[in-house]
């Protein structure tokens, strides 16, 4: 169970790193939209594009893109930190369930790989505890 949990956490981390990369690209794109808003609005008016014919509309779209990608970037970084803590918990053979429960919740909200990693991590922790109880009896 421990090995399966690590595999799913690693796959989840790869997806998470891709999310971070695309969020950074989105932030850069939002900044470019804000910087070049007058030129974009001019082109939009010249080509009769309804939603890009004024600087205010382009600024609004650019601001929304920038804010949403910054929020996505922050969430991805926080999730990556929790995933690293869960993997360290597995590597150190800690018997705490907390990091795996957190990853279960994060997995339900974001990524199936984190959910499965949390599930298998939780099973590996409880399985070890059950074996230690059986040995003492």
């Amino acid at each position: 169970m421990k090995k399966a949990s690590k595999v799913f956490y690693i796959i989840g981390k790869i997806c998470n790193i891709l999310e971070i990369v695309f969020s950074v690209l989105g932030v850069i794109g939002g900044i470019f939209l804000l910087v070049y808003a007058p030129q974009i609005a001019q082109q939009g008016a010249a080509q009769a594009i309804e939603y890009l014919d004024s600087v205010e509309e382009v600024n609004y779209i650019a601001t929304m893109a920038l804010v949403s990608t910054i929020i996505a970037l922050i969430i991805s970084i926080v999730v990556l930190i929790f995933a690293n803590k869960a993997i360290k918990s597995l590597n150190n053979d800690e018997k705490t369930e907390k990091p795996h429960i957190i990853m279960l919740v994060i997995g339900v909200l974001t990524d199936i790989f984190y959910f499965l990693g949390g599930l298998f991590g939780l099973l590996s922790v409880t399985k070890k505890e059950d074996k230690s109880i059986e040995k003492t009896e």
Side-chain angles (χ1 to χ4, degrees):
M1 294 290 175
K2 181 179 171 182
K3 190 172 184 177
S5 180
K6 281 185 185 180
V7 168
F8 282 119
Y9 280 147
I10 290 171
I11 294 170
K13 280 179 62 173
I14 291 169
C15 294
N16 202 342
I17 290 169
L18 288 173
E19 290 173 15
I20 290 171
V21 168
F22 286 117
S23 294
V24 168
L25 291 174
V27 168
I28 293 169
I31 291 169
F32 278 127
L33 282 174
L34 281 174
V35 170
Y36 293 109
Q39 290 89 347
I40 294 170
Q42 187 178 32
Q43 284 290 335
Q47 296 178 3
I49 299 174
E50 185 176 337
Y51 296 105
L52 297 177
D53 59 354
S54 73
V55 176
E56 292 83 22
E57 290 173 349
V58 175
N59 280 335
Y60 175 75
I61 292 169
T63 303
M64 295 309 296
L66 191 59
V67 169
S68 62
T69 54
I70 288 173
I71 291 171
L73 179 63
I74 292 169
I75 290 171
S76 295
I77 290 171
V78 169
V79 168
L80 186 63
I81 290 169
F82 280 119
N84 285 332
K85 287 183 180 184
I87 290 174
K88 283 181 186 176
S89 173
L90 284 174
N91 289 337
N92 296 335
D93 288 328
E94 295 176 7
K95 297 184 194 265
T96 179
E97 300 171 353
K98 183 179 175 183
H100 306 296
I101 292 172
I102 290 171
M103 292 309 293
L104 274 171
V105 173
I106 288 173
V108 167
L109 298 174
T110 61
D111 192 353
I112 187 70
F113 298 115
Y114 284 148
F115 175 78
L116 292 172
L119 181 66
F120 287 124
L122 191 60
L123 290 174
S124 73
V125 168
T126 56
K127 183 179 174 186
K128 286 181 184 178
E129 289 176 2
D130 290 342
K131 282 184 178 179
S132 65
I133 291 171
E134 291 173 5
K135 288 179 183 177
T136 58
E137 293 177 353

